[in-house]
Amino acid sequence: MDMNIYYYCIGWMNPEDNKFYLQDRKKSDEVKKYIRELLEHTVNNRRTRTYVMDEEGEMSEIIRAFANAEHDPLEAQNDANLDDLAGRIGSRLVAAESSMHKQKPVRDKRIRTGSFVLSLLRNSEGKLCFIIAKVNHELFLEGQNLEEHVGIPLDSKDIWMTAVVMISETPKVTVEEVHVYMDRPAKYWTDVFLEVKEKRDNRTNSKLMYQEVRGILKKNVEPVSANDFLILWNALVQRMRKETHLDYGEFVDELLDDYRPQEKELDTSFLKTLKNQLAALPDDRGFDRKFTVDSTDIARMLKSEKLSIAEGIELTISERVKEPQKWITSFRDSEGIRYIRIRCTDSNAFEKFDN
């Protein structure tokens, strides 16, 4: 099922008078192509965080009004009432941006303000969605008099912020959840403008992400190669130690794209399957793809990893071991029996096993 666009408009905030304006809706092939590509990218963007909207807030009221309107095809005459609703959203944007600028003045408000694309559509799965996208716009000169105009370059895909509002239509129109993308943290976008709160906080996301990734590695990698499991687990630990914003998709790419396994069983096919399993975790296990790492509940788990070597023998690896592959390796003898080889710097321990 193709995406069905019912309504769209483009607007921008004029820094000269601090007002929001809807631009003339040109329906050239180039504009329609740009809008469709922008909306498809926004709807399909996986690097988002899930929020819930204040049901009593103005934004929820406006979006329900959009959803309750008659859904005419995009080619039909656009309803002026919908433009009025879009104008109300624009006014909220003006207020939110103005508040931000007062708190953090910027040199060039015209460029930082950007243009806004608003749209009501039904996605490829038949779900009704309301889209808000903040994109880069540029100042350009046009005509013999070189008049100043502001517009969106059709060849630009410089998207700053988006919100995909998922709408339930049964038994009545309600806002289910909001998937938000931001190229940089912006509280005014979520708290002030959209009136949304995180569905899962950083602490919950961090704990779930660590547990689920470690679980996949332990289930699939450790039985094949304890050494490879240790290396990948250590990489997970080091990443969770960083108190920074985490993009889960980028993390999975960095973990496996250039990884060179210690054991040949972890071939290209194995790693591809492993990557697919890790990539599916946010949807399958319920954590966000973008959040700030909070190790409050996983500090104890990060300290060490206990490996079962053989019956009655366990190996405990501290997170302080930055490059475990330099200390611990595995090999098979001529009969195929597997061994773990550990570099030893303690004389007493070495002499105890020196036969």
Side-chain angles (χ1 to χ4, degrees):
M1 179 179 179
D2 293 333
M3 182 176 71
N4 192 356
I5 303 172
Y6 297 125
Y7 170 88
Y8 82 84
C9 68
I10 303 173
W12 67 289
M13 189 181 87
N14 186 349
E16 301 297 332
D17 57 12
N18 208 35
K19 291 183 179 180
F20 181 85
Y21 293 91
L22 291 180
Q23 294 178 321
D24 291 338
R25 197 178 286 105
K26 298 179 181 179
K27 293 184 178 178
S28 67
D29 291 340
E30 291 81 3
V31 172
K32 288 190 288 187
K33 179 182 177 183
Y34 173 85
I35 292 296
R36 180 167 289 277
E37 289 179 352
L38 171 66
L39 294 176
E40 286 178 345
H41 173 82
T42 301
V43 169
N44 295 322
N45 184 14
R46 309 283 285 179
R47 294 181 172 179
T48 60
R49 186 162 186 175
T50 305
Y51 290 76
V52 291
M53 183 170 284
D54 181 2
E55 294 181 1
E56 304 299 322
E58 183 184 27
M59 277 297 290
S60 179
E61 174 193 336
I62 296 172
I63 290 170
R64 290 199 304 271
F66 263 105
N68 281 316
E70 292 186 11
H71 300 157
D72 296 325
L74 182 60
E75 297 300 329
Q77 180 67 35
N78 286 283
D79 193 333
N81 290 333
L82 297 186
D83 285 346
D84 290 341
L85 292 173
R88 289 178 61 186
I89 293 179
S91 296
R92 291 185 55 82
L93 286 165
V94 170
E97 292 242 331
S98 298
S99 174
M100 178 196 69
H101 289 321
K102 288 177 181 179
Q103 296 176 20
K104 294 183 178 182
V106 295
R107 294 180 180 178
D108 192 344
K109 294 185 179 181
R110 184 187 300 275
I111 294 177
R112 290 291 295 273
T113 299
S115 286
F116 302 93
V117 177
L118 309 178
S119 179
L120 180 71
L121 58 85
R122 198 172 295 280
N123 66 17
S124 59
E125 298 175 352
K127 190 75 173 179
L128 194 63
C129 308
F130 188 78
I131 311 298
I132 305 171
K134 179 180 179 183
V135 299
N136 179 33
H137 69 203
E138 296 178 359
L139 176 68
F140 59 91
L141 303 177
E142 184 177 63
Q144 292 182 347
N145 296 328
L146 297 180
E147 294 179 350
E148 289 188 358
H149 292 273
V150 172
I152 304 174
L154 291 179
D155 59 350
S156 173
K157 295 297 185 292
D158 192 0
I159 302 172
W160 293 345
M161 301 174 186
T162 65
V164 179
V165 184
M166 309 301 293
I167 300 171
S168 172
E169 299 176 271
T170 55
K172 63 179 181 178
V173 170
T174 56
V175 174
E176 290 185 331
E177 58 187 23
V178 185
H179 303 295
V180 175
Y181 165 80
M182 295 182 285
D183 66 344
R184 66 187 71 179
K187 283 285 187 179
Y188 85 89
W189 180 257
T190 52
D191 298 7
V192 181
F193 168 55
L194 293 174
E195 295 180 316
V196 295
K197 300 295 182 184
E198 299 162 346
K199 186 173 183 179
R200 295 171 285 265
D201 60 19
N202 291 323
R203 188 171 178 176
T204 301
N205 278 315
S206 299
K207 183 177 180 180
L208 277 173
M209 182 261 192
Y210 175 79
Q211 289 178 329
E212 297 301 333
V213 172
R214 179 185 175 277
I216 289 291
L217 296 177
K218 197 166 186 66
K219 177 181 178 181
N220 296 279
V221 178
E222 186 181 20
V224 180
S225 171
N227 199 23
D228 283 294
F229 167 76
L230 179 59
I231 295 170
L232 293 172
W233 169 77
N234 188 266
L236 170 64
V237 167
Q238 299 310 316
R239 182 61 189 86
M240 298 301 287
R241 283 291 186 191
K242 297 180 181 179
E243 299 294 327
T244 57
H245 196 64
L246 185 141
D247 184 310
Y248 182 74
E250 291 180 357
F251 163 75
V252 174
D253 290 344
E254 293 169 359
L255 183 69
L256 293 177
D257 280 357
D258 297 322
Y259 182 66
R260 296 182 178 179
Q262 303 295 300
E263 289 288 339
K264 63 181 180 180
E265 281 81 359
L266 273 68
D267 57 14
T268 302
S269 177
F270 184 100
L271 292 178
K272 181 179 180 180
T273 300
L274 179 64
K275 186 174 181 179
N276 289 338
Q277 291 173 329
L278 292 176
L281 283 178
D283 293 333
D284 293 346
R285 300 301 183 184
F287 61 86
D288 291 315
R289 295 177 183 274
K290 297 186 76 171
F291 57 90
T292 300
V293 175
D294 182 342
S295 59
T296 302
D297 291 329
I298 60 176
R300 178 184 58 80
M301 293 183 261
L302 292 177
K303 290 181 180 179
S304 63
E305 178 66 29
K306 188 175 292 185
L307 302 178
S308 177
I309 302 301
E311 185 176 355
I313 302 175
E314 293 181 334
L315 177 64
T316 300
I317 311 298
S318 168
E319 55 87 18
R320 294 192 302 272
V321 181
K322 303 301 181 185
E323 297 181 276
Q325 65 271 28
K326 292 184 177 180
W327 294 87
I328 307 172
T329 57
S330 60
F331 71 97
R332 288 182 175 86
D333 64 15
S334 58
E335 297 179 356
I337 299 175
R338 298 184 297 180
Y339 294 87
I340 298 294
R341 179 164 47 200
I342 304 173
R343 178 182 172 187
C344 183
T345 58
D346 185 284
S347 299
N348 291 330
F350 179 79
E351 291 173 1
K352 185 172 184 177
F353 295 97
D354 185 14
N355 297 322

